[in-house]
Amino acid sequence: AEHVAAAPCFGASARGVLDAAALIGAQRKLVVVISDFRLPSSLLKEMFDALAAHDVTPIMLADSQEEALPEWGLSEIADLEDGRRRLVVMRPALRRRWREQEAARRAALSRLSRRHGRELFIVTDRIDAPRLTRHLMAA
């Protein structure tokens, strides 16, 4: 944790995952990618391709509050990457579409992960250590 906290952060895009993949080297390693994976699908594919020589364990961080959308009302949506906020008028059709798109995004990420040899592990709100251990031991 100290090394991560002390690491310099620079750049203005998620393409740094490709730079990190290049620094890992060619010898097969266990690579744990922890993210919300809200990246363009093309970049996710590039990342998995760049790490194809390694044993990649993708861990997706999720927040149950993202699914707690009202059927009707005003919702303030925050982009955690750039801090921008916007006001959305939520209605049943938009809520349904939002949930459908999220389900499709997770399914696509899961397929991409399996294609590269490892099932996606999803952490919602808190880590279930025994479940994570079983997941890591199963692969």
Side-chain angles (χ1 to χ4, degrees):
E2 291 173 6
H3 289 301
V4 172
C9 296
F10 53 89
S13 82
R15 294 196 64 80
V17 298
L18 301 177
D19 297 334
L23 294 173
I24 293 172
Q27 186 177 357
R28 187 171 176 85
K29 296 174 180 69
L30 172 63
V31 177
V32 180
V33 180
I34 302 172
S35 174
D36 62 4
F37 292 98
R38 293 190 183 280
L39 305 171
S41 58
S42 59
L43 180 56
L44 286 171
K45 184 177 179 329
E46 282 183 75
M47 179 196 71
F48 275 100
D49 288 346
L51 295 170
H54 304 286
D55 183 7
V56 178
T57 299
I59 298 177
M60 185 176 93
L61 301 180
D63 183 344
S64 61
Q65 290 300 305
E66 291 177 347
E67 293 293 316
L69 299 169
E71 284 197 37
W72 291 97
L74 294 176
S75 292
E76 186 176 43
I77 307 298
D79 184 327
L80 298 179
E81 298 297 323
D82 63 18
R84 289 188 297 183
R85 297 171 126 21
R86 64 184 183 153
L87 199 58
V88 174
V89 178
M90 191 57 65
R91 56 199 182 282
L94 178 58
R95 179 181 180 208
R96 183 176 56 256
R97 191 169 64 237
W98 192 298
R99 287 184 168 171
E100 288 169 355
Q101 288 175 347
E102 178 61 14
R105 182 184 78 84
R106 285 186 182 198
L109 179 58
S110 190
R111 282 190 304 275
L112 181 61
S113 177
R114 273 195 308 276
R115 241 189 340 264
H116 286 83
R118 180 74 76 144
E119 190 69 35
L120 175 67
F121 185 82
I122 301 173
V123 173
T124 303
D125 297 333
R126 65 178 192 80
I127 297 173
D128 179 341
R131 190 171 72 88
L132 177 58
T133 300
R134 286 190 304 274
H135 175 79
L136 293 172
M137 298 300 285

